[in-house]
């Protein structure tokens, strides 16, 4: 028996009359073909068709991701600085995690009013209820961390589980590692991108099971290699040239990565290798069937999806781990979620973000362990709430039916949260980082516009600080970097943001003989991510057999040598 009979009757009438055909995105004006598969997902979730293109719907969903942002926000009561991924200019309040979990925000309730827009009421609630500033799932130890999964002695690490490491994003079991994105089981390594099981490596992309190597792309089980692409089970490779041990060691002794000039020249040669010589497979999927996507491991029936493990049945999703039957969502893990993300261990959500262990929530944000709530913010262990107000079960479903009907009649139900409700700086938001939005799209999206340094987001540092030093004043070699540089503000003029070097990271760089970086750590992390596959998907031609393939885009390497998966495997048999 339906709990919302009037709404179900209204939505049935809409869906029964829905036919495939070309549609125009309300936001960007781009055309897309609403096909039978897309319509089937609307019917599965009992929602109206979206006025936005699939690409723009992913912008909405990833707009609320933490990504790799670090800002100084303020405590709403004391005004004390609080480090957070939430930008202060977003006007969203934050509390330190322990304070947030000690509060009960169910008393900050609003009443449903037919005469007011749902989104107007929700925005007032969103601005009133603070977010937990760092959203750590496991309390980090002696670390600066957000979305921590367990960090010890970590410095600016996010969504990671690490020890004695610096500047990590989504890196699990990282130990004594610096500048890593999407790594697993990485030790004593530097500048790592989407790679796993590495030890003693530097500048490694899309590789695994490698040791004592540098500048690798798509390599497996390699040791003592320097500059290699598409190699398997190799030793003593030098920029794809096979050498003997003595010659390799002689050449390696001539390259000093402690020198910034030598490191930069070698990295430029490496990127040229990736761009001009390396073979890119149409995707890096493994053990997946019936999928259109990339980085999918042991998955099935995922369409237009990125980054999934053991997930089945998905449509335009990102980050699916044990996820099933999700659409336009990031579910890690979760099932039957629509236009929601990020959500973890959550089911049956609609048009929501940052939910943890929830079931049956709609248009809600930052809730934990809740069931059957609508339009709520910051609740924990609650059921049958609307705008944070408690109802009994019968009254809740009656109000739900009325509210969803009113929203549907006004054309609100079926729309995601407006981009203006976002938490962070749009040029570094998930919309840009994960799904290809650009600063040119900023105004079109309706996302809030402000400068990175607005409202004191840089803290006490300022580019006008008389102590400010320029990156080109850094000594070329790490051995010449003395303690006078420790803690001094350095300007990254490329993004107009100051940074500083700590004693611990300088010691790390000296230990592994690596030149001091000359870019802000957020820019370095974004560079890593832009070298990975991301949305949207495009058609390209196999450089070997000329077959058309659909693959994810790559912003760092838009011009690259692509092989369909069959030709790629044949190539590896001969050249790997």
């Amino acid at each position: 028996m339906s709990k919302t009979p009037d709404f179900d009757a209204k939505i049935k009438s809409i869906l029964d009359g829905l036919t495939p055909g070309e549609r125009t995105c309300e936001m960007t004006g781009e055309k897309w073909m609403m096909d039978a598969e897309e319509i089937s997902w609307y019917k599965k979730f009992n929602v109206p068709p979206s006025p936005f293109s699939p690409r723009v719907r992913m912008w909405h969903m990833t707009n609320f991701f933490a990504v790799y942002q670090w800002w100084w926000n303020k405590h709403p009561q004391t005004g004390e600085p609080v480090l957070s991924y939430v930008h202060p200019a977003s006007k969203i309040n934050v509390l330190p995690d322990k304070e947030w979990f000690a509060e009960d925000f169910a008393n900050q309730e609003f009443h449903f009013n037919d005469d007011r827009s749902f989104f107007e009421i929700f925005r007032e609630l969103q601005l009133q209820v603070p977010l937990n500033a760092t959203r750590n799932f496991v309390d980090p130890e002696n670390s600066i961390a957000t979305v921590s999964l367990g960090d010890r002695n970590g410095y600016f690490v996010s969504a990671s589980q690490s020890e004695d490491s610096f500047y990590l994003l989504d890196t699990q079991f990282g130990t004594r590692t610096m500048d890593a994105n999407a790594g697993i089981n990485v030790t004593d390594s530097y500048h790592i991108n989407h790679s796993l099981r590495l030890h003693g490596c530097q500048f490694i992309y899309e590789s695994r099971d490698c040791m004592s190597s540098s500048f690798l792309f798509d390599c497996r089980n390699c040791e003592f290699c320097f500059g290699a692409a598409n190699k398997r089970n190799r030793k003593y490779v030098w920029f794809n040239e096979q050498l003997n041990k003595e010659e390799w060691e002689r050449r390696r002794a001539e390259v000093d990565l402690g020198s910034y000039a030598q490191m930069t020249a070698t990295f430029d040669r490496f990127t040229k290798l990736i761009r001009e010589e390396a073979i890119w497979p149409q995707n890096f999927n493994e053990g997946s069937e019936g999928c259109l996507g990339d980085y999918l491991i042991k998955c099935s029936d995922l369409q237009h999806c990125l980054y999934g493990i053991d997930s089945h049945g998905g449509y335009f999703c990102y980050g699916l781990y044990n996820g099933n039957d999700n659409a336009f969502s990031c579910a890690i893990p979760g099932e039957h979620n629509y236009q929601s993300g990020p959500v973890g261990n959550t089911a049956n959500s609609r048009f929501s973000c940052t939910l943890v262990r929830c079931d049956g929530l709609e248009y809600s944000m930052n809730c934990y362990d809740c069931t059957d709530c609508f339009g709520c913010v910051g609740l924990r262990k609650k059921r049958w709430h609307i705008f944070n107000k408690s109802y009994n079960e019968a009254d809740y479903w009656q109000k739900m039916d009325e509210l969803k009907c009113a929203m549907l009649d006004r054309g609100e139900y079926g729309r995601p949260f407006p981009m203006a409700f976002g938490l962070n700086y749009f040029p570094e938001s998930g919309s840009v980082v994960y799904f290809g939005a650009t600063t040119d799209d900023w105004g079109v999206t309706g996302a809030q516009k402000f400068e990175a340094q607005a409202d004191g987001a840089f803290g006490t540092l300022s580019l006008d600080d008389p102590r400010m030093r320029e990156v080109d004043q850094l000594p070329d070699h790490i051995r010449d970097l003395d303690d006078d540089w420790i803690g001094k503000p350095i300007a990254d003029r490329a993004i107009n943001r100051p940074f500083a070097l700590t004693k611990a990271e300088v010691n790390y760089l000296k230990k592994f003989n690596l030149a001091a970086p000359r870019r802000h750590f957020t820019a370095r992390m974004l560079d890593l991510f832009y070298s990975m596959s991301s949305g949207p998907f495009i058609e390209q031609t196999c450089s070997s057999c000329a077959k058309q393939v659909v693959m994810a885009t790559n912003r760092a390497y838009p011009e690259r040598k692509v092989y369909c998966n069959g030709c790629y495997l044949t190539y590896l048999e001969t050249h790997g």
Side-chain angles (χ1 to χ4, degrees):
M1 180 178 177
S2 172
K3 295 180 178 179
T4 54
D6 292 341
F7 171 80
D8 289 348
K10 283 177 176 286
I11 199 71
K12 183 178 187 303
S13 176
I14 293 172
L15 294 176
D16 284 349
L18 197 57
T19 58
E22 187 178 77
R23 302 295 195 273
T24 301
C25 179
E26 181 183 291
M27 178 182 289
T28 63
E30 66 188 288
K31 306 289 186 182
W32 90 94
M33 184 60 65
M34 184 183 291
D35 58 17
E37 181 178 10
E38 183 176 343
I39 292 173
S40 73
W41 285 97
Y42 296 138
K43 292 180 177 179
K44 179 189 288 281
F45 287 100
N46 210 35
V47 296
S50 175
F52 303 115
S53 70
R55 181 173 69 116
V56 169
R57 277 174 264 176
M58 298 308 289
W59 289 0
H60 279 91
M61 190 263 288
T62 52
N63 186 45
F64 294 90
F65 281 25
V67 197
Y68 193 74
Q69 299 205 44
W70 304 89
W71 312 107
W72 284 109
N73 210 310
K74 294 180 177 65
H75 194 290
Q77 281 83 49
T78 68
E80 290 295 312
V82 178
L83 191 65
S84 177
Y85 65 92
V86 180
H87 198 289
S90 71
K91 307 306 179 188
I92 303 296
N93 291 320
V94 299
L95 283 174
D97 283 17
K98 288 185 179 180
E99 289 187 41
W100 190 88
F101 280 103
E103 295 278 350
D104 184 353
F105 301 106
N107 59 353
Q108 301 190 34
E109 62 187 43
F110 282 68
H111 293 275
F112 164 52
N113 184 336
D114 268 342
D115 297 328
R116 296 182 65 196
S117 160
F118 165 83
F119 291 114
E120 180 183 344
I121 300 172
F122 185 88
R123 180 61 169 170
E124 291 180 9
L125 180 62
Q126 183 197 18
L127 293 175
Q128 180 171 300
V129 178
L131 294 179
N132 37 336
T134 50
R135 287 187 61 79
N136 292 321
F137 290 95
V138 178
D139 287 340
E141 181 182 340
N142 190 35
S143 299
I144 298 174
T146 59
V147 201
S148 177
L149 301 174
D151 296 288
R152 182 173 179 271
N153 301 327
Y155 191 68
F156 288 97
V157 292
S158 184
S160 297
Q161 183 177 359
S162 68
E163 185 170 354
D164 300 323
S165 294
F166 309 83
Y167 313 118
L168 307 182
L169 174 61
D170 189 20
T171 297
Q172 311 313 317
F173 310 109
T175 304
R176 296 181 302 279
T177 290
M178 182 172 179
D179 285 19
N181 171 54
I184 302 176
N185 288 309
V186 179
T187 61
D188 294 337
S189 296
Y190 176 80
H191 194 96
I192 306 302
N193 205 23
H194 197 246
S195 297
L196 57 152
R197 296 187 297 275
L198 307 177
H199 176 74
C201 292
Q202 304 85 35
F203 300 96
I204 310 294
Y205 291 15
E206 307 289 357
S207 299
R208 61 190 62 178
D209 302 305
C210 296
M211 297 177 59
S212 306
S213 296
S214 304
F215 302 102
L216 304 184
F217 170 79
D218 184 34
C219 291
R220 306 282 189 272
N221 194 32
C222 291
E223 186 178 8
F224 301 117
C225 291
F226 192 97
N230 311 120
K231 298 304 178 187
R232 302 293 187 266
N233 310 311
R234 296 290 195 97
K235 282 188 177 182
Y236 307 120
V237 171
W238 189 272
F239 280 94
N240 277 1
E241 178 186 0
Q242 182 64 60
L243 305 178
N244 60 36
K245 179 177 182 292
E246 292 72 24
E247 176 61 16
W248 188 90
E249 290 179 344
R250 185 189 69 78
R251 293 191 192 183
R252 182 65 186 89
E254 292 177 349
V255 179
D256 185 357
L257 297 182
S259 161
Y260 184 77
Q262 289 195 49
M263 176 187 282
T264 302
T266 310
F267 183 74
D268 289 345
R269 185 179 177 187
F270 176 54
T271 58
K272 183 178 180 182
L273 175 74
I274 295 175
R275 186 174 58 253
E276 298 180 2
E277 297 182 39
I279 303 301
W280 290 75
Q282 68 184 77
N283 57 58
F284 288 98
N285 297 344
E286 294 184 18
S288 296
E289 298 181 356
C291 294
L292 190 162
D294 210 344
Y295 303 128
L296 305 178
I297 312 299
K298 298 180 182 178
C299 295
S300 64
D301 301 319
L302 301 183
Q303 302 301 312
H304 302 279
C305 294
L306 288 162
Y307 313 110
I309 298 176
D310 291 318
S311 296
H312 311 282
Y315 189 66
F316 283 94
C317 290
Y318 180 96
L320 292 170
Y321 302 94
N322 296 310
N324 297 290
D325 290 323
N326 299 283
F328 297 102
S329 293
C330 173
I332 38 180
E335 60 183 14
H336 210 59
N337 299 288
Y338 179 83
Q339 192 67 64
S340 294
V343 294
N345 289 296
T346 288
N348 305 305
S349 68
R350 310 281 191 279
F351 312 105
S352 297
C353 65
T354 54
L355 306 180
V356 179
R357 298 180 299 275
C358 291
D359 190 357
L361 270 64
E362 297 191 50
Y363 285 104
S364 294
M365 185 179 294
N366 204 41
C367 294
Y368 289 70
D369 303 294
C370 293
T371 304
D372 297 330
C373 294
F374 194 102
C376 292
V377 181
L379 295 187
R380 298 194 315 281
K381 299 182 180 179
K382 305 297 182 185
R383 190 172 192 181
W384 303 319
H385 281 61
I386 300 174
F387 293 127
N388 285 25
K389 177 178 171 59
S390 177
Y391 294 85
N392 64 40
E393 183 177 5
D395 288 346
Y396 172 81
W397 289 113
Q398 179 182 342
K399 288 288 186 183
M400 277 285 292
D401 205 6
E402 295 172 7
L403 176 54
K404 291 176 73 169
C405 283
M407 290 179 66
L408 192 62
D409 290 343
R410 283 196 298 260
E412 292 180 329
Y413 191 84
R415 291 173 173 270
F417 288 127
M419 299 282 281
F421 290 12
L423 318 174
N424 42 38
Y425 179 53
F426 181 77
E428 297 174 14
S429 69
S431 309
V432 174
V433 174
Y434 298 117
F435 277 92
T438 69
T439 51
D440 292 337
D441 299 310
W442 201 345
V444 174
T445 65
Q448 296 182 65
K449 276 200 167 186
F450 47 78
E451 297 296 326
Q453 68 269 25
D455 292 4
F458 289 176
T460 58
L461 283 180
S462 165
L463 290 172
D464 298 326
D465 192 312
R467 302 172 300 157
M468 190 64 62
R469 300 183 181 186
E470 303 298 323
V471 292
D472 57 9
Q473 294 176 299
L474 282 161
D476 175 70
H477 205 283
I478 188 63
R479 65 171 172 259
D480 299 322
L481 190 71
D482 58 30
D483 285 352
D484 183 55
W485 280 94
I486 304 301
K488 298 297 191 298
I490 305 169
D492 180 346
R493 300 291 177 184
I495 62 170
N496 290 320
R497 194 173 300 182
F499 68 101
L501 299 171
T502 68
K503 181 67 173 177
E505 67 183 295
V506 170
N507 288 342
Y508 177 94
L509 293 167
K510 288 185 175 181
K511 175 181 178 180
F512 293 103
N513 193 42
L514 298 164
R518 301 195 177 194
R519 301 195 67 200
H520 193 277
F521 54 87
T522 59
R524 304 196 312 260
M525 194 60 65
L526 289 175
D527 284 346
L528 283 171
F529 195 88
Y530 290 156
S531 297
M532 291 178 63
S533 297
S534 62
F537 290 87
I538 57 173
E539 282 196 356
Q540 287 199 224
T541 302
C542 173
S543 298
S544 179
C545 71
K547 182 174 78 174
Q548 289 295 109
V549 297
V550 177
M551 61 187 303
T553 54
N554 189 290
R555 280 165 286 181
Y557 301 98
E559 302 296 328
R560 49 189 170 150
K561 191 179 296 184
V562 173
Y563 279 16
C564 68
N565 286 337
C567 292
Y568 169 75
L569 293 175
T570 299
Y571 175 86
L572 290 180
E573 289 175 1
T574 305
H575 301 280

